[in-house]
Amino acid sequence: MPTEGLSPAEIVPVTGFAAARGLPAGGVTDDTQQAVIVARLLIDGDGRIDPHRLADALLAWERDLRSRGIRGLLGPSTRAALNAVAAGASLEEAGKHGTTNGAAMRIAPVGIATPADLGRLVDSVVEASWVTHNTGVALAGAAAVAAAVSAGIDGASLPEAIDFAVAAAELAAQRGNWVAAGDVAARIRWSRTMPAADIPALIGTSVATQESVPAAFAVLHHAEDPWHACRTAASLGGDTDTIAAMAGAIAGACTGADAFPEDAVRTVTEVNDLPLPELADGLLKLRARTG
Ligand SMILES: [Mg+2]
């Protein structure tokens, strides 16, 4: 979060957490908060997400942030979709133009709860995303992240998980409305051999799905472990919190939670009031039951 929106030139390589902009060091942002919302809905809904309940939960979350004086955490697609719903638009219309990375940033729980079966995975991703991000590009980005997480939990290596992510992105790109955006699957494939220093200039680190999702995958090729992936992503500039959230989720799924340093996990646990082990447990139970 402290590096979000900065240019690469303004960032010294990130070595750990820092307090900034009113958040304590290790305080989570919208990516994690919305992922927790998705996790709770999945567990309460027995593996299904009701789009009305998702829209209501996101609106309630934003109201809660506003009441505490926190603004600017709602991304452009989610904001537009929720405004449309509040103004009486049908849910089918609300997410029609949502192309940014809000669906991908919050999708990891779907990857944990859903076995690595391509068709089912993409269906679950679409169900958890279309109310705010009903476009091929946003769904492809979300499917890529969820697929990599799901494959990682099944024991896939990072390269195997990335291959599965590309296949999921290709399939999901055919869902939702087509928009003229770069192809997520093609850009993930293309970024495989890219030097880390070229990621911000060549892939881009904006909130556009076709930039930040391939950027998160590109980081993985240069990461020694999940924590290094998070720190590398946080050093890219642009939408750093989101890119790091996605890279960390994928690398963590492939290597196991134990790969994160104990003190980093302790800090996140202490400064945020989030029942993460309990949610992970509930999601894994869903996965085991539907596997
Ligand atoms: Mg962000």
PDB file of all heavy atoms in Angstrom, residues 189-203:
ATOM      1  N   ARG A 189       1.536 -15.401 -21.366  1.00  0.00           N
ATOM      2  CA  ARG A 189       2.507 -16.232 -22.100  1.00  0.00           C
ATOM      3  C   ARG A 189       3.703 -15.404 -22.562  1.00  0.00           C
ATOM      4  O   ARG A 189       4.858 -15.783 -22.416  1.00  0.00           O
ATOM      5  CB  ARG A 189       1.833 -16.880 -23.313  1.00  0.00           C
ATOM      6  CG  ARG A 189       1.184 -18.222 -23.040  1.00  0.00           C
ATOM      7  CD  ARG A 189       0.960 -18.991 -24.333  1.00  0.00           C
ATOM      8  NE  ARG A 189       0.282 -18.185 -25.313  1.00  0.00           N
ATOM      9  CZ  ARG A 189      -1.050 -18.191 -25.505  1.00  0.00           C
ATOM     10  NH1 ARG A 189      -1.809 -19.009 -24.816  1.00  0.00           N
ATOM     11  NH2 ARG A 189      -1.595 -17.413 -26.392  1.00  0.00           N
ATOM     12  N   TRP A 190       3.390 -14.233 -23.094  1.00  0.00           N
ATOM     13  CA  TRP A 190       4.414 -13.345 -23.656  1.00  0.00           C
ATOM     14  C   TRP A 190       5.392 -12.850 -22.589  1.00  0.00           C
ATOM     15  O   TRP A 190       6.578 -12.641 -22.866  1.00  0.00           O
ATOM     16  CB  TRP A 190       3.688 -12.175 -24.335  1.00  0.00           C
ATOM     17  CG  TRP A 190       4.492 -10.946 -24.618  1.00  0.00           C
ATOM     18  CD1 TRP A 190       5.509 -10.820 -25.518  1.00  0.00           C
ATOM     19  CD2 TRP A 190       4.343  -9.660 -23.997  1.00  0.00           C
ATOM     20  NE1 TRP A 190       5.991  -9.536 -25.501  1.00  0.00           N
ATOM     21  CE2 TRP A 190       5.293  -8.804 -24.584  1.00  0.00           C
ATOM     22  CE3 TRP A 190       3.483  -9.139 -23.024  1.00  0.00           C
ATOM     23  CZ2 TRP A 190       5.419  -7.462 -24.225  1.00  0.00           C
ATOM     24  CZ3 TRP A 190       3.605  -7.804 -22.657  1.00  0.00           C
ATOM     25  CH2 TRP A 190       4.572  -6.992 -23.257  1.00  0.00           C
ATOM     26  N   SER A 191       4.908 -12.702 -21.357  1.00  0.00           N
ATOM     27  CA  SER A 191       5.742 -12.088 -20.309  1.00  0.00           C
ATOM     28  C   SER A 191       6.689 -13.088 -19.659  1.00  0.00           C
ATOM     29  O   SER A 191       7.487 -12.734 -18.798  1.00  0.00           O
ATOM     30  CB  SER A 191       4.852 -11.474 -19.233  1.00  0.00           C
ATOM     31  OG  SER A 191       4.146 -12.483 -18.539  1.00  0.00           O
ATOM     32  N   ARG A 192       6.645 -14.346 -20.083  1.00  0.00           N
ATOM     33  CA  ARG A 192       7.423 -15.404 -19.442  1.00  0.00           C
ATOM     34  C   ARG A 192       8.919 -15.144 -19.361  1.00  0.00           C
ATOM     35  O   ARG A 192       9.541 -15.464 -18.367  1.00  0.00           O
ATOM     36  CB  ARG A 192       7.224 -16.710 -20.211  1.00  0.00           C
ATOM     37  CG  ARG A 192       6.302 -17.571 -19.454  1.00  0.00           C
ATOM     38  CD  ARG A 192       6.108 -18.924 -20.002  1.00  0.00           C
ATOM     39  NE  ARG A 192       4.979 -19.419 -19.223  1.00  0.00           N
ATOM     40  CZ  ARG A 192       4.081 -20.266 -19.634  1.00  0.00           C
ATOM     41  NH1 ARG A 192       4.165 -20.770 -20.832  1.00  0.00           N
ATOM     42  NH2 ARG A 192       3.104 -20.628 -18.856  1.00  0.00           N
ATOM     43  N   THR A 193       9.460 -14.609 -20.414  1.00  0.00           N
ATOM     44  CA  THR A 193      10.907 -14.426 -20.454  1.00  0.00           C
ATOM     45  C   THR A 193      11.303 -12.961 -20.225  1.00  0.00           C
ATOM     46  O   THR A 193      12.427 -12.566 -20.496  1.00  0.00           O
ATOM     47  CB  THR A 193      11.458 -14.881 -21.826  1.00  0.00           C
ATOM     48  OG1 THR A 193      10.699 -14.209 -22.837  1.00  0.00           O
ATOM     49  CG2 THR A 193      11.300 -16.386 -21.999  1.00  0.00           C
ATOM     50  N   MET A 194      10.367 -12.181 -19.720  1.00  0.00           N
ATOM     51  CA  MET A 194      10.642 -10.753 -19.591  1.00  0.00           C
ATOM     52  C   MET A 194      11.488 -10.437 -18.356  1.00  0.00           C
ATOM     53  O   MET A 194      11.171 -10.887 -17.260  1.00  0.00           O
ATOM     54  CB  MET A 194       9.296 -10.013 -19.496  1.00  0.00           C
ATOM     55  CG  MET A 194       9.438  -8.508 -19.514  1.00  0.00           C
ATOM     56  SD  MET A 194       7.812  -7.740 -19.573  1.00  0.00           S
ATOM     57  CE  MET A 194       7.290  -8.170 -21.226  1.00  0.00           C
ATOM     58  N   PRO A 195      12.572  -9.654 -18.512  1.00  0.00           N
ATOM     59  CA  PRO A 195      13.327  -9.227 -17.337  1.00  0.00           C
ATOM     60  C   PRO A 195      12.425  -8.414 -16.393  1.00  0.00           C
ATOM     61  O   PRO A 195      11.572  -7.652 -16.857  1.00  0.00           O
ATOM     62  CB  PRO A 195      14.433  -8.341 -17.914  1.00  0.00           C
ATOM     63  CG  PRO A 195      14.521  -8.714 -19.362  1.00  0.00           C
ATOM     64  CD  PRO A 195      13.139  -9.146 -19.759  1.00  0.00           C
ATOM     65  N   ALA A 196      12.627  -8.577 -15.083  1.00  0.00           N
ATOM     66  CA  ALA A 196      11.765  -7.912 -14.094  1.00  0.00           C
ATOM     67  C   ALA A 196      11.743  -6.398 -14.295  1.00  0.00           C
ATOM     68  O   ALA A 196      10.704  -5.750 -14.139  1.00  0.00           O
ATOM     69  CB  ALA A 196      12.229  -8.265 -12.682  1.00  0.00           C
ATOM     70  N   ALA A 197      12.886  -5.848 -14.679  1.00  0.00           N
ATOM     71  CA  ALA A 197      12.972  -4.383 -14.805  1.00  0.00           C
ATOM     72  C   ALA A 197      12.101  -3.850 -15.939  1.00  0.00           C
ATOM     73  O   ALA A 197      11.762  -2.670 -15.971  1.00  0.00           O
ATOM     74  CB  ALA A 197      14.428  -3.978 -15.035  1.00  0.00           C
ATOM     75  N   ASP A 198      11.740  -4.716 -16.883  1.00  0.00           N
ATOM     76  CA  ASP A 198      10.916  -4.272 -18.026  1.00  0.00           C
ATOM     77  C   ASP A 198       9.413  -4.354 -17.746  1.00  0.00           C
ATOM     78  O   ASP A 198       8.601  -3.878 -18.552  1.00  0.00           O
ATOM     79  CB  ASP A 198      11.222  -5.135 -19.259  1.00  0.00           C
ATOM     80  CG  ASP A 198      12.586  -4.823 -19.855  1.00  0.00           C
ATOM     81  OD1 ASP A 198      13.144  -3.755 -19.534  1.00  0.00           O
ATOM     82  OD2 ASP A 198      13.084  -5.648 -20.639  1.00  0.00           O
ATOM     83  N   ILE A 199       9.023  -4.988 -16.623  1.00  0.00           N
ATOM     84  CA  ILE A 199       7.592  -5.216 -16.369  1.00  0.00           C
ATOM     85  C   ILE A 199       6.772  -3.909 -16.360  1.00  0.00           C
ATOM     86  O   ILE A 199       5.761  -3.820 -17.061  1.00  0.00           O
ATOM     87  CB  ILE A 199       7.377  -6.022 -15.057  1.00  0.00           C
ATOM     88  CG1 ILE A 199       7.962  -7.440 -15.222  1.00  0.00           C
ATOM     89  CG2 ILE A 199       5.885  -6.111 -14.705  1.00  0.00           C
ATOM     90  CD1 ILE A 199       7.981  -8.258 -13.921  1.00  0.00           C
ATOM     91  N   PRO A 200       7.204  -2.867 -15.611  1.00  0.00           N
ATOM     92  CA  PRO A 200       6.365  -1.666 -15.578  1.00  0.00           C
ATOM     93  C   PRO A 200       6.191  -1.023 -16.959  1.00  0.00           C
ATOM     94  O   PRO A 200       5.086  -0.592 -17.305  1.00  0.00           O
ATOM     95  CB  PRO A 200       7.120  -0.724 -14.631  1.00  0.00           C
ATOM     96  CG  PRO A 200       7.954  -1.628 -13.785  1.00  0.00           C
ATOM     97  CD  PRO A 200       8.350  -2.766 -14.688  1.00  0.00           C
ATOM     98  N   ALA A 201       7.264  -0.977 -17.750  1.00  0.00           N
ATOM     99  CA  ALA A 201       7.177  -0.281 -19.037  1.00  0.00           C
ATOM    100  C   ALA A 201       6.482  -1.116 -20.105  1.00  0.00           C
ATOM    101  O   ALA A 201       5.726  -0.588 -20.917  1.00  0.00           O
ATOM    102  CB  ALA A 201       8.582   0.105 -19.509  1.00  0.00           C
ATOM    103  N   LEU A 202       6.739  -2.424 -20.131  1.00  0.00           N
ATOM    104  CA  LEU A 202       6.216  -3.234 -21.235  1.00  0.00           C
ATOM    105  C   LEU A 202       4.855  -3.849 -20.934  1.00  0.00           C
ATOM    106  O   LEU A 202       3.994  -3.919 -21.812  1.00  0.00           O
ATOM    107  CB  LEU A 202       7.222  -4.332 -21.608  1.00  0.00           C
ATOM    108  CG  LEU A 202       8.526  -3.832 -22.247  1.00  0.00           C
ATOM    109  CD1 LEU A 202       9.419  -4.999 -22.616  1.00  0.00           C
ATOM    110  CD2 LEU A 202       8.232  -2.994 -23.487  1.00  0.00           C
ATOM    111  N   ILE A 203       4.651  -4.331 -19.721  1.00  0.00           N
ATOM    112  CA  ILE A 203       3.340  -4.906 -19.384  1.00  0.00           C
ATOM    113  C   ILE A 203       2.424  -3.824 -18.840  1.00  0.00           C
ATOM    114  O   ILE A 203       1.253  -3.742 -19.192  1.00  0.00           O
ATOM    115  CB  ILE A 203       3.477  -6.043 -18.351  1.00  0.00           C
ATOM    116  CG1 ILE A 203       4.366  -7.161 -18.903  1.00  0.00           C
ATOM    117  CG2 ILE A 203       2.107  -6.609 -17.997  1.00  0.00           C
ATOM    118  CD1 ILE A 203       4.602  -8.298 -17.936  1.00  0.00           C
TER     119      ILE A 203
END
